[in-house]
Amino acid sequence: MNAIISATAHYAPKKVLTNHDLEKIMDTTDEWIKSRTGIHQRHIIGENEATSDICTHIGRDLLEKANLKPDDIDIIIVSTVTPDMLAPSTAAIVQNNLGANRAWGFDLSAACSGFLYGLETGAKFVESGQYKRVMVIGVDAMSTILDYEDRNTSVLFGDGGGGVILESTESDFGILDSILRMDGSGGKYLQMPAGGSRMPATIETVENKMHYLKQDGRTVFKFAVKGMADVSAKMLEKHQLTGDDIALFIPHQANKRIIDAAANRCNISKDKVLINIQKYGNTTAGTIAIGLNEAVEQGRLKEGDYLLLAAFGAGWTWGSMLIKWGNPS
Ligand code: UT7
């Protein structure tokens, strides 16, 4: 039994923050951001919006596209590092919003690798034969944990997400393989220090801006290029494929220069690499899921195509996934 993607969807909040908007609130330029990252703009949530609202848009769209009723969903997995709150899970809020009364579910925390970890987890439920349909959403509202006085970090991220319905198939289409990795020794280079059990919220933690994302950009850059390229190359080698055999490569969108370097290492030509970082920035667990739905909407995937996904993020966490694209029917 394989797990197949039977529907895709994405949602980006309406509000757009351009590089020119950022020029007005911090010492940066449109030119610097574009040339160093490839980002032109990002979407951010409005005052009364939260991560679960993005998920609910995605979930409704998925149900409609897959022609399913809410009760058809068995499990909801929401991969995110910006849940609405620590408890209950965002998955539970989404389950209620969708009226998916039969579903159980949980949030999964793997930062920028969250969607890949979520896909792998969801696929195993479906492949076991015990569950028929799993909704996997990769989403983040990064604007809620950014310090807009820190130009090193805040210009990179945006809000949004995407999702899929996973169903079982006896065909040889679907998720073929994944290589997932984690190295906790990298945790200090990209983290939000306060707000958990190590450093609960106090007046001091707020005053010291410890509830914002902190990163050592250069170190993250170095590990991201190596991590994404290594697992992607390994995946190709394992399946005796070359970059030419891949119809589409959807890498995590953290920096256009990281994407170019990883694609180069795997000899995947530019026309086969999905890049949408210019529109959304880095939406953490959202990037690959958004890219996947855009690829489907743009007709960039046809039956039998090999699709390669790759991610790298805080943890460190990273991985790649090989999918043979096809329809479940
Ligand atoms: O999903 C994982 C999440 N994080 C990432 O993927 C981040 C990975 N890292 C990166 O993408 C890059 O390292 C950055 C985009 C963060 C930085 O690019 P860089 O080419 O590594 O620049 P840098 O850190 O070496 O900084 C070069 C200069 C510095 O000025 P000085 O010291 O040379 O005078 C920075 O202060 O650029 C300055 N700088 C900026 N200037 C204008 C840093 N951020 C900005 C900014 N606007 N927003």
Side-chain angles (χ1 to χ4, degrees):
M1 205 83 100
N2 267 352
I4 203 165
I5 293 172
S6 63
T8 63
H10 85 271
Y11 183 80
K14 297 217 162 16
K15 195 166 160 189
V16 170
L17 192 64
T18 66
N19 293 347
H20 293 295
D21 294 329
L22 291 176
E23 281 176 342
K24 292 177 200 144
I25 58 171
M26 67 178 79
D27 181 18
T28 191
T29 60
D30 175 52
E31 202 282 324
W32 191 96
I33 301 173
K34 274 188 194 157
S35 64
R36 304 309 292 164
T37 72
I39 300 166
H40 297 197
Q41 62 168 52
R42 67 287 292 141
H43 292 250
I44 58 167
I45 53 171
E47 256 174 37
N48 296 314
E49 266 178 308
T51 298
S52 67
D53 299 315
I54 301 175
C55 295
T56 304
H57 282 288
I58 296 165
R60 290 196 178 124
D61 204 9
L62 284 173
L63 291 176
E64 195 180 316
K65 284 176 172 167
N67 200 16
L68 296 173
K69 292 189 282 302
D71 276 348
D72 294 329
I73 302 299
D74 296 310
I75 302 176
I76 298 173
I77 301 173
V78 176
S79 297
T80 186
V81 289
T82 50
D84 285 23
M85 54 192 86
L86 284 179
S89 69
T90 303
I93 298 168
V94 175
Q95 184 255 15
N96 184 49
N97 289 352
L98 296 178
N101 301 319
R102 281 187 48 257
W104 63 279
F106 52 91
D107 290 0
L108 189 159
S109 169
C112 301
S113 309
F115 188 60
L116 281 197
Y117 275 42
L119 280 181
E120 172 74 353
T121 308
K124 294 299 169 234
F125 285 118
V126 166
E127 288 164 13
S128 75
Q130 199 178 339
Y131 298 97
K132 281 203 164 63
R133 294 178 196 93
V134 180
M135 182 181 283
V136 181
I137 296 177
V139 60
D140 270 298
M142 297 304 290
S143 66
T144 61
I145 57 167
L146 293 176
D147 174 5
Y148 283 100
E149 288 178 355
D150 171 11
R151 68 175 186 175
N152 290 298
T153 306
S154 60
V155 302
L156 303 175
F157 294 92
D159 303 345
V164 299
I165 302 283
L166 292 176
E167 301 193 43
S168 60
T169 174
E170 280 171 13
S171 73
D172 64 348
F173 295 119
I175 296 176
L176 299 185
D177 199 5
S178 70
I179 302 174
L180 299 176
R181 298 273 185 260
M182 183 159 74
D183 175 2
S185 70
K188 55 185 176 286
Y189 300 111
L190 180 55
Q191 60 173 218
M192 191 182 102
S197 59
R198 175 71 57 195
M199 208 186 283
T202 63
I203 289 169
E204 285 75 32
T205 62
V206 173
E207 277 174 358
N208 293 328
K209 299 188 163 195
M210 302 306 276
H211 299 267
Y212 290 129
L213 190 70
K214 319 264 181 206
Q215 69 165 356
D216 171 348
R218 272 186 219 180
T219 304
V220 179
F221 190 97
K222 210 172 65 191
F223 278 89
V225 170
K226 183 169 170 7
M228 285 217 300
D230 280 357
V231 282
S232 303
K234 197 173 165 84
M235 181 66 88
L236 294 181
E237 195 189 323
K238 192 175 164 191
H239 292 267
Q240 293 166 338
L241 298 170
T242 69
D244 288 342
D245 298 313
I246 298 300
L248 189 65
F249 179 44
I250 308 183
H252 171 52
Q253 312 277 309
N255 185 319
K256 181 157 183 306
R257 290 183 294 144
I258 297 176
I259 296 171
D260 290 345
N264 253 337
R265 260 274 313 273
C266 300
N267 293 316
I268 300 175
S269 60
K270 280 199 166 104
D271 55 312
K272 294 177 172 181
V273 183
L274 188 136
I275 296 180
N276 60 14
I277 192 171
Q278 67 282 2
K279 291 189 284 184
Y280 305 108
N282 180 352
T283 56
T284 303
T287 60
I288 295 174
I290 294 174
L292 181 58
N293 186 51
E294 287 196 334
V296 170
E297 284 178 348
Q298 292 161 10
R300 290 181 76 173
L301 285 166
K302 52 181 196 319
E303 195 160 284
D305 277 352
Y306 281 117
L307 166 65
L308 185 67
L309 312 178
F312 186 90
W316 312 117
T317 57
W318 70 106
S320 68
M321 182 172 271
L322 183 65
I323 295 173
K324 191 173 177 188
W325 195 254
N327 201 290
S329 55

